[in-house]
Amino acid sequence: MAEIPMELIKKLREMSGAGMMDCKHALEEAEGDLDKAFTILREKGMAKASKRAGRATGQGVVEAYLHRLSEDFPPQVGVLVEVNCETDFVAKGEDFRKLAKELALQIAGFEPRWVSREDVPDAVLVEERNVYQAKAEQDGKPPQVIPKIVEGQVEQFLKQNCLLEQAYFREPKHTVQEIIAEHISKLQENITVRRFARFNVREA
Amino acid sequence: MAEIPMELIKKLREMSGAGMMDCKHALEEAEGDLDKAFTILREKGMAKASKRAGRATGQGVVEAYLHRLSEDFPPQVGVLVEVNCETDFVAKGEDFRKLAKELALQIAGFEPRWVSREDVPDAVLVEERNVYQAKAEQDGKPPQVIPKIVEGQVEQFLKQNCLLEQAYFREPKHTVQEIIAEHISKLQENITVRRFARFNVREA
């Protein structure tokens, strides 16, 4: 069988904490399938389940924001956001952390549901399209303009619900993506929003 | 057709912001199916998508905790947790919020993956069982004791990975669920952990 690339062996080692040779053999047995090889190591008692989530993916910061409706009330809305960069030098800098805080505020106030349009599930887009289509038909729009109306509304939906496409709350002429791009060019390092969570006690 | 219950009409009204009669008609058209009725209202332009997430589900608080590895480093681990109760009287109390903060610390330190064992996906349990089974077979355990070994390990897995079953970090003799139960009896109100998120920059 084909040689197992050293990179893959190292990756499995990082995931499992098992020795290099054990990782190599497991990968050979799994014909290069990383997940399968990991399961083989686990079955042999050479890897721990908890290690699976331990792969390093870069540098960054986790930031939070809690929103109070009034002073005598505990926070009813909370946001957690993870922003990644390339080096700990940038991660430690004040500008970077400030950006993460701004993003947490943006998420708290403007309720995006996804980071970028690539994250929107197809099923959601299909449902939105169906709704806009039915609405346009019911409003008696001419059939030939309906596709354009529907696409315009889908675009609108994405701009409202994807963090990177939202208008930045402090400078609504710029999108959040543009603000991040400014930081990328200033800090000379790629910056990505990896994930966020937004909890609101008042929402289902 | 059967009479639409007033409760359902009110629910749709809350979800959609549409008028009572419009909600009633939509529910009749949808034969009592709430989601379908909501879509009907949307198609008629009588409901907004953003309203869907607006249903009240009780009182509570959102709490966060950010963990720093050292003082000159920004937080690399963050936790967001929502804890629910029945009245805003309890939600406003110091004891309740303190509990939420303790839970955030617990989640940061002990990395649960789910709130309770009911939240663990079946596929995860099946995989865990398979791994324990293969390991026990490979270790040459007698076939008649293997089911017991496997079930013991699944139980262990659940206790490690479900927040409510974890040992409470300040009093490891008690589970988190027991600490919550203490608060329930003290505050005389049901308390539930609705959801949490835990982000770690260092983890895949």
Side-chain angles (χ1 to χ4, degrees), chain A residues 72-89:
Chain A
D72 68 332
F73 223 81
Q76 300 288 293
V77 173
V79 170
L80 196 66
V81 63
E82 180 182 340
V83 187
N84 287 170
C85 57
E86 293 176 47
T87 64
D88 66 343
F89 177 78

Side-chain angles (χ1 to χ4, degrees), chain A residues 57-63 81-87 90-91 96 99-100 103 107 115-116 118-119 163-164 176-177 179-181 183-185 187-196, chain B residues 199 201:
Chain A
T57 53
Q59 302 292 328
V61 63
V62 180
E63 198 49 75
V81 63
E82 180 182 340
V83 187
N84 287 170
C85 57
E86 293 176 47
T87 64
V90 161
F96 182 71
L99 173 65
L103 293 174
I107 295 161
V115 173
S116 73
E118 286 73 38
D119 303 318
L163 172 64
L164 298 181
V176 169
Q177 182 62 73
I179 301 307
I180 293 173
H183 283 78
I184 291 175
S185 102
L187 301 174
Q188 302 245 320
E189 206 162 278
N190 194 21
I191 297 170
T192 54
V193 180
R194 186 173 169 203
R195 48 187 169 174
F196 67 81
Chain B
F199 295 168
V201 173

Side-chain angles (χ1 to χ4, degrees), chain A:
Chain A
M1 70 160 291
E3 191 71 21
I4 302 293
M6 183 49 87
E7 204 179 309
L8 211 56
I9 300 174
K10 281 191 182 156
K11 210 164 193 173
L12 182 58
R13 187 174 149 78
E14 254 180 49
M15 283 166 77
S16 67
M20 291 297 261
M21 285 314 289
D22 292 329
C23 290
K24 186 164 178 282
H25 292 148
L27 279 162
E28 280 166 2
E29 197 181 326
E31 296 177 328
D33 182 323
L34 195 63
D35 283 338
K36 212 168 154 189
F38 183 82
T39 302
I40 290 169
L41 285 176
R42 282 197 68 199
E43 285 171 2
K44 291 190 175 156
M46 290 169 176
K48 286 182 182 165
S50 60
K51 280 268 180 181
R52 193 197 313 214
R55 277 180 292 169
T57 53
Q59 302 292 328
V61 63
V62 180
E63 198 49 75
Y65 171 69
L66 296 175
H67 184 72
R68 286 161 173 277
L69 300 169
S70 72
E71 254 187 45
D72 68 332
F73 223 81
Q76 300 288 293
V77 173
V79 170
L80 196 66
V81 63
E82 180 182 340
V83 187
N84 287 170
C85 57
E86 293 176 47
T87 64
D88 66 343
F89 177 78
V90 161
K92 281 178 181 178
E94 204 166 307
D95 283 342
F96 182 71
R97 193 157 180 216
K98 230 168 124 183
L99 173 65
K101 281 184 180 155
E102 285 293 285
L103 293 174
L105 278 172
Q106 174 83 26
I107 295 161
F110 293 86
E111 312 185 27
R113 292 164 67 187
W114 302 280
V115 173
S116 73
R117 60 171 68 200
E118 286 73 38
D119 303 318
V120 183
D122 284 342
V124 169
L125 287 178
V126 168
E127 202 207 320
E128 289 302 313
R129 260 198 196 94
N130 287 345
V131 166
Y132 305 143
Q133 176 87 28
K135 176 76 170 65
E137 282 166 8
Q138 178 153 341
D139 289 352
K141 303 284 180 195
Q144 67 276 21
V145 302
I146 287 181
K148 211 168 174 182
I149 291 174
V150 169
E151 282 320 299
Q153 286 175 325
V154 168
E155 202 55 29
Q156 186 83 350
F157 173 81
L158 292 170
K159 282 181 181 160
Q160 272 173 6
N161 289 287
C162 299
L163 172 64
L164 298 181
E165 308 206 15
Q166 286 186 340
Y168 173 44
F169 73 100
R170 287 197 208 277
E171 304 165 21
K173 281 184 186 168
H174 294 282
T175 63
V176 169
Q177 182 62 73
E178 283 165 357
I179 301 307
I180 293 173
E182 265 177 30
H183 283 78
I184 291 175
S185 102
K186 189 172 162 195
L187 301 174
Q188 302 245 320
E189 206 162 278
N190 194 21
I191 297 170
T192 54
V193 180
R194 186 173 169 203
R195 48 187 169 174
F196 67 81
R198 184 184 188 280
F199 295 168
N200 182 347
V201 174
R202 313 266 159 196
E203 278 176 4

Side-chain angles (χ1 to χ4, degrees), chain B residues 31-99:
Chain B
E31 294 176 332
D33 182 323
L34 194 62
D35 284 336
K36 210 166 152 190
F38 182 81
T39 302
I40 290 169
L41 285 177
R42 281 196 70 199
E43 285 172 1
K44 291 190 174 156
M46 290 169 176
K48 286 183 185 170
S50 59
K51 280 269 182 182
R52 191 199 312 216
R55 276 181 290 171
T57 55
Q59 301 292 327
V61 63
V62 180
E63 197 49 76
Y65 171 69
L66 296 176
H67 184 72
R68 284 162 175 276
L69 301 169
S70 72
E71 253 187 46
D72 68 332
F73 222 75
Q76 301 287 294
V77 173
V79 170
L80 196 66
V81 62
E82 180 181 339
V83 188
N84 287 168
C85 57
E86 293 176 47
T87 64
D88 66 343
F89 178 77
V90 162
K92 281 179 182 177
E94 204 166 309
D95 283 343
F96 182 71
R97 193 158 180 215
K98 230 168 125 184
L99 173 65

Side-chain angles (χ1 to χ4, degrees), chain B residues 1 12 15 28 32 37 45 47 54-55 69 75 81 99 103-104 115 130 136-137 161 181-182 188 199:
Chain B
M1 68 161 292
L12 183 59
M15 282 166 77
E28 280 167 0
R55 276 181 290 171
L69 301 169
V81 62
L99 173 65
L103 294 174
V115 173
N130 287 346
E137 282 166 9
N161 289 287
E182 265 177 30
Q188 303 244 320
F199 295 168

